Amino acid sequence: VAWGLYFPRKEYLENVYIDEPAGTPLLHIHALRDSREEVPRFHLCQNLIVPRARPQENNWFQIKAKTGLLYLSKSLDREDFNMLSVGSWMPLSKVMLYVFLSSHPFQEKECDSATRTTVFLSLINATAPACSSLTARQLCFTEMDLSFHIKENKPPGTFHQLQLPSVRHLCQNLSISYKLLAAEGVPFRYNENTTSVRVTQPLDREERERYELIAKCTVREGFREMQVEVPFLVNVLDEDDSPPFLPNGTDTADAVVEFSRKEGTVLSTLTVYDADTTPIYPLESSRKKYTGTIITDDPWISETFRVEHIFDEIHFSPNGSQVRGTRHEY
């Protein structure tokens, strides 16, 4: 299955303050590749989505096509804020932007069909706070959970940058450093120079479905030092690349029918395991994927007997980590 380029996050969140200068970097968005030849290009489509109002033309935000850096192309003043908050008296207004992804120069007409992620921008009716008034948590991490989705069997690549571009831009007197705390041998690397996190090899969901790491940040200001730790989670997405298997190797079961059996009597059972997929809902989608067949030329047998299919989610434990799968009973 060729998935194409994809985003490791479904959505991003960031704050934008009034009168931040044009050129202020806001957010770093990353993409991962389906094949090694692909080169990601990022693109914003024209409109800002404003709740309870019609979309507005985006005059304030731009993205660097090659790096995925979202930045202010025009300072947002109070007049802009009033227009985008649609007469709301709240000190905060939320707008949405879609960031699109392609491996070729982007055409505006592709805005409806291309791979996209959503950026939620909180527009705050105040100027940016002084760095000294921010907590270590605010200086180190946004309000987003550090939770990512990486597809199995795909090339390595960078999928997150720990340092916040806006904080780095505004708080140059502070020293902020990070570490990624992880068990030995996990396939992720943190680069201190760029503060980026990279998956170093293709992942296999049937070996491990979830990685739980910790991002640790240290803020130094003169002699003062503050530390904060947050969970850093990676979920591995399935590619349906492993065939189902039979516990004893046989894919048929014989049924002996004795005289005078009542309707509904179970005559024979066959169990099939699938480590690769979990039950899909609605249930009919899972049923269609597998069929149980009675092998016979006798129409009476076909009319008198039927195969019932029930399935449930089970856990396998390769290498001591739990991986979800399905048990099918016929």
Side-chain angles (χ1 to χ4, degrees):
V1 180
W3 263 317
L5 292 163
Y6 69 98
F7 291 103
R9 291 188 67 93
K10 291 188 176 69
E11 57 189 45
Y12 292 81
L13 314 172
E14 192 46 82
N15 295 333
V16 181
Y17 294 90
I18 281 179
D19 295 335
E20 284 186 282
T24 301
L26 299 173
L27 188 58
H28 221 120
I29 293 174
H30 290 88
L32 287 168
R33 296 171 299 158
D34 188 74
S35 61
R36 289 178 187 276
E37 307 76 58
E38 289 173 316
V39 178
R41 290 169 181 267
F42 300 90
H43 182 83
L44 288 182
C45 286
Q46 275 306 307
N47 289 334
L48 274 180
I49 315 298
V50 182
R52 302 179 305 283
R54 64 172 188 268
Q56 293 274 1
E57 189 168 347
N58 169 27
N59 298 315
W60 300 274
F61 306 100
Q62 234 2 292
I63 196 164
K64 295 198 171 174
K66 289 183 180 174
T67 63
L69 182 70
L70 184 75
Y71 62 95
L72 270 174
S73 54
K74 174 181 179 291
S75 184
L76 184 85
D77 60 26
R78 281 185 200 280
E79 206 176 299
D80 297 330
F81 177 86
N82 292 338
M83 181 173 74
L84 291 173
S85 59
V86 200
S88 158
W89 297 104
M90 301 286 283
L92 177 148
S93 175
K94 276 209 163 134
V95 298
M96 271 165 44
L97 270 175
Y98 293 126
V99 177
F100 293 82
L101 193 53
S102 68
S103 52
H104 56 267
F106 201 83
Q107 307 293 318
E108 197 68 30
K109 64 178 185 290
E110 295 176 80
C111 281
D112 294 332
S113 58
T115 303
R116 72 182 189 188
T117 189
T118 308
V119 178
F120 293 93
L121 296 167
S122 295
L123 310 181
I124 295 169
N125 192 6
T127 53
C131 296
S132 55
S133 70
L134 296 173
T135 64
R137 178 78 174 74
Q138 290 168 313
L139 290 164
C140 292
F141 303 107
T142 63
E143 290 154 35
M144 297 187 283
D145 292 339
L146 293 184
S147 179
F148 307 91
H149 302 275
I150 298 180
K151 294 175 179 176
E152 67 171 340
N153 307 321
K154 300 300 171 199
T158 297
F159 63 95
H160 184 62
Q161 188 165 344
L162 283 167
Q163 190 158 46
L164 307 180
S166 51
V167 169
R168 184 178 183 178
H169 183 74
L170 296 169
C171 307
Q172 293 172 355
N173 297 339
L174 294 177
S175 157
I176 302 174
S177 60
Y178 294 87
K179 273 192 173 139
L180 196 60
L181 310 178
E184 198 65 38
V186 298
F188 305 104
R189 287 287 165 277
Y190 169 63
N191 181 327
E192 279 185 25
N193 299 324
T194 60
T195 77
S196 59
V197 184
R198 176 179 177 78
V199 55
T200 57
Q201 65 191 55
L203 305 180
D204 182 355
R205 194 203 70 95
E206 287 73 66
E207 288 295 319
R208 187 156 176 183
E209 192 171 8
R210 185 177 166 88
Y211 293 87
E212 299 183 14
L213 300 84
I214 288 172
K216 178 180 179 179
C217 175
T218 305
V219 181
R220 291 183 189 86
E221 188 182 12
F223 295 112
R224 219 157 61 95
E225 183 176 293
M226 298 175 284
Q227 292 187 332
V228 59
E229 294 182 359
V230 298
F232 188 103
L233 307 174
V234 178
N235 294 290
V236 185
L237 296 183
D238 196 61
E239 200 189 18
D240 207 0
D241 59 336
S242 305
F245 63 94
L246 300 133
N248 56 5
T250 175
D251 62 355
T252 54
D254 295 331
V256 177
V257 186
E258 294 178 0
F259 187 62
S260 229
R261 298 280 95 175
K262 286 192 170 62
E263 186 179 339
T265 302
V266 176
L267 304 168
S268 182
T269 58
L270 183 66
T271 302
V272 180
Y273 290 107
D274 190 345
D276 199 49
T277 55
T278 54
I280 311 162
Y281 296 92
L283 294 177
E284 279 316 303
S285 325
S286 275
R287 285 217 171 83
K288 282 178 192 155
K289 197 169 170 189
Y290 299 93
T291 53
T293 310
I294 298 173
I295 302 167
T296 180
D297 297 330
D298 185 335
W300 177 80
I301 290 179
S302 302
E303 287 163 18
T304 313
F305 302 96
R306 72 166 184 267
V307 178
E308 286 209 349
H309 176 195
I310 57 169
F311 51 89
D312 55 356
E313 184 172 296
I314 56 167
H315 289 96
F316 299 95
S317 296
N319 306 328
S321 75
Q322 281 209 333
V323 172
R324 292 172 305 144
T326 312
R327 176 175 51 213
H328 298 267
E329 299 269 10
Y330 295 94

